[in-house]
Amino acid sequence: MADHTTNAAHAADKSGEAYWKANIRLILISLVIWALCSFGFGILLRPAISGIAVGGTDLGFWFAQQGSILVFLALIFFYAWRMNRLDKEFGVDEE
């Protein structure tokens, strides 16, 4: 009997570990995308993309003023959608 409970606890630990690994990976990917859009395109790569016109201004300025905010909002919705799928996959969803 003790073996069965130990195996179940070990499986639950592995499942929890896999869940958090997937969660952290999703967070890191989202942060990299947001950093690339806000800091990368808005500041570091602005001279390289300044020739591309968007809405009457160059693309680098657009990313610095609006693009990074829109990407951030899109990432919030993507993270919520993906976490709902992860929750269901690992059996920790609220519904």
Side-chain angles (χ1 to χ4, degrees), residues 13-14 32-33 36 38-41 44 57 61 64 77 86 95:
D13 286 344
K14 288 291 185 185
V32 167
I33 291 170
L36 179 66
S38 63
F39 190 68
F41 292 147
L44 295 178
T57 187
F61 182 77
F77 286 106
L86 274 176
E95 295 175 11

Side-chain angles (χ1 to χ4, degrees), residues 28-85:
L28 289 176
I29 290 169
S30 298
L31 285 174
V32 167
I33 291 170
W34 188 48
L36 179 66
C37 289
S38 63
F39 190 68
F41 292 147
I43 298 171
L44 295 178
L45 299 174
R46 183 167 182 212
I49 60 176
S50 64
I52 303 169
V54 172
T57 187
D58 68 275
L59 187 60
F61 182 77
W62 183 84
F63 265 108
Q65 297 302 312
Q66 294 176 355
S68 62
I69 295 168
L70 294 175
V71 168
F72 182 69
L73 289 172
L75 283 172
I76 289 172
F77 286 106
F78 172 76
Y79 177 80
W81 171 77
R82 185 66 181 113
M83 280 306 298
N84 282 335
R85 288 187 61 201

